[in-house]
Amino acid sequence: MEPNVWSDEALRSTLDQFLGVGADAGLTDEVRFVSGVASLIQKRIERGEHLVTPTQPAVFLLHPGRPNSADPTRCKRFPMLDNGGQPASGFVWFTNKVVNDAIAYALAEDCDDEEIFRIIEEDLGLGGVPAVTFDARFAPPQARFYPEGLSKTENARYLRSSSVAITADDIFEVFDRLHEQYLCTPDVQSKVGRLWHDATKGYASEDAEDQVQIVVRNGLTGAFPTCIIRAEQVQSTGRLDVEIEEPMAGKRSTIIRHAVIELKVLRGLRSTGTKVADSYNRNWIDKGVRQASEYRNERGARLAALCCFDMRSQPTGQTCFGHVLKLAADHNVYLRSWHLFSSSEAYRKFLTKGEDDNT
């Protein structure tokens, strides 16, 4: 039997179809839903859905299966929705978390935006489920994410749906939000994993880096849903923590490597109560700068960043980087640090002190 030889075109086609499969392991259902819809929207834009001048948006709801209140005569199943072959506009899509199998609910031709929202909220009773709207009636097409459903339009945010260059400021803005919502104190950390072995004593968990990485991967995927957020990539120079890469719109086998991010946790006390020397943390930061630079160069990424999460008792802000500023500038590595407080009270005192300093 002749060996099965793949042509360049066949290999490119396979990469286009399956690139990023498995990269969403460990992500929340909501984040996987947003990422799946964004990928589908990209495919519909590439196929020119916005060029046929649709009269209605598409609405995607994280709700597998047809609701009992939906007229079955208006519904049709699409078990391979993720291939992007089916026009999305003019339908409400009840889809699973990976957006590869969905029920399409056909909207009446005279439905305007207000009526579409009313149908979803009142007739279908799904105003509280995560939703994405895709509006191809305007140039460029727009997508909005409603994390708490269409009944709370004030919480909507635009989704990035094209291969626009991601900047360090874009990344740090995501980290700022993640710090405030999931990392800054033990109270918000309860939404994720344990960063503290014993917060009352200032003992950091041994796996704090792993917990931070989970938060970061979910946050970056939600913020940049057309990108693939890879973690723990092994290469000759070591194992990089996080990489942001993106298939080029219209040519998915071509990859844009936006950034590599090195994550470091700075500890004052280990989980056993053993003190961590300041010199150790200084060397840890120095190593992080060099790793970020080396990984960026090997991967061919556009930018590199070192992001530190400081669990020591006293907040130092960005001064923790004082000894590596020249090194980072020479190697073109961006730096940013966030403090993780051992209690909400400590965080309140820090905020109050900052207000007093500004008066």
Side-chain angles (χ1 to χ4, degrees):
M1 181 180 294
E2 289 289 330
N4 190 8
V5 180
W6 284 56
S7 68
D8 290 345
E9 184 58 37
L11 179 58
R12 189 176 301 111
S13 176
T14 301
L15 284 171
D16 286 348
Q17 184 175 359
F18 294 108
L19 187 69
V21 171
D24 60 355
L27 300 179
T28 66
D29 290 353
E30 181 181 291
V31 168
R32 295 178 75 183
F33 165 68
V34 173
S35 180
V37 173
S39 178
L40 178 63
I41 287 172
Q42 266 198 333
K43 292 175 182 177
R44 289 310 312 160
I45 292 174
E46 290 167 11
R47 286 166 170 77
E49 181 151 338
H50 56 299
L51 302 178
V52 299
T53 317
T55 59
Q56 295 169 319
V59 181
F60 297 87
L61 303 175
L62 181 53
H63 187 281
R66 179 182 64 84
N68 293 332
S69 53
D71 181 354
T73 65
R74 305 184 73 90
C75 295
K76 181 179 179 179
R77 182 187 176 203
F78 290 85
M80 294 190 294
L81 178 66
D82 56 328
N83 64 20
Q86 169 63 31
S89 300
F91 295 92
V92 176
W93 297 90
F94 311 120
T95 182
N96 59 14
K97 62 188 178 185
V98 293
V99 197
N100 66 348
D101 191 350
I103 301 292
Y105 176 87
L107 294 165
E109 292 184 1
D110 60 349
C111 277
D112 59 15
D113 293 354
E114 182 182 16
E115 178 64 7
I116 293 170
F117 275 52
R118 189 202 65 76
I119 289 172
I120 292 169
E121 294 180 59
E122 299 179 13
D123 296 354
L124 300 176
L126 297 178
V129 304
V132 173
T133 59
F134 169 49
D135 198 339
R137 294 173 293 182
F138 308 98
Q142 297 178 348
R144 302 184 192 186
F145 174 47
Y146 300 78
E148 297 181 69
L150 298 180
S151 60
K152 294 191 176 181
T153 54
E154 67 275 14
N155 294 333
R157 62 180 176 84
Y158 284 104
L159 287 183
R160 180 178 179 276
S161 58
S162 61
S163 303
V164 178
I166 295 173
T167 68
D169 285 342
D170 294 332
I171 294 170
F172 292 152
E173 183 179 339
V174 174
F175 275 54
D176 287 342
R177 185 172 67 250
L178 295 177
H179 173 257
E180 185 69 22
Q181 294 179 347
Y182 301 105
L183 296 172
C184 62
T185 68
D187 288 340
V188 296
Q189 290 164 18
S190 63
K191 303 174 186 177
V192 284
R194 288 182 58 190
L195 275 74
W196 296 95
H197 179 75
D198 188 336
T200 62
K201 297 179 179 179
Y203 295 179
S205 293
E206 290 299 321
D207 65 346
E209 288 88 352
D210 295 337
Q211 300 302 327
V212 168
Q213 188 181 92
I214 290 171
V215 173
V216 166
R217 283 190 63 220
N218 276 278
L220 290 174
T221 303
F224 311 123
T226 59
C227 295
I228 301 167
I229 312 300
R230 299 195 183 277
E232 300 295 330
Q233 292 281 90
V234 178
Q235 53 190 40
S236 61
T237 53
R239 186 168 61 186
L240 66 85
D241 289 332
V242 176
E243 180 182 24
I244 304 175
E245 65 179 39
E246 183 174 22
M248 184 179 292
K251 193 178 181 182
R252 291 178 58 80
S253 56
T254 299
I255 299 298
I256 303 170
R257 290 192 165 90
H258 289 287
V260 296
I261 304 170
E262 186 65 18
L263 305 174
K264 296 294 185 189
V265 171
L266 309 179
R267 292 171 169 83
L269 297 171
R270 299 191 183 278
S271 62
T272 58
T274 304
K275 184 177 180 0
V276 178
D278 289 341
S279 59
Y280 180 91
N281 284 313
R282 287 168 60 87
N283 290 337
W284 198 227
I285 292 172
D286 183 283
K287 181 179 179 180
V289 173
R290 299 178 190 277
Q291 286 175 313
S293 174
E294 291 164 2
Y295 298 159
R296 183 263 322 281
N297 294 341
E298 183 168 345
R299 298 296 289 175
R302 293 178 45 257
L303 61 87
L306 169 63
C307 295
C308 292
F309 296 86
D310 195 341
M311 301 183 73
R312 294 174 292 185
S313 59
Q314 295 301 318
T316 61
Q318 308 311 308
T319 62
C320 66
F321 297 122
H323 64 295
V324 295
L325 290 177
K326 184 178 185 307
L327 178 68
D330 290 344
H331 289 78
N332 199 22
V333 174
Y334 293 90
L335 305 172
R336 187 66 63 88
S337 174
W338 294 264
H339 195 83
L340 307 187
F341 294 84
S342 60
S343 69
S344 295
E345 181 182 7
Y347 186 37
R348 289 195 300 272
K349 287 182 178 178
F350 171 78
L351 294 177
T352 302
K353 183 178 183 300
E355 292 172 359
D356 293 341
D357 290 343
N358 291 328
T359 57

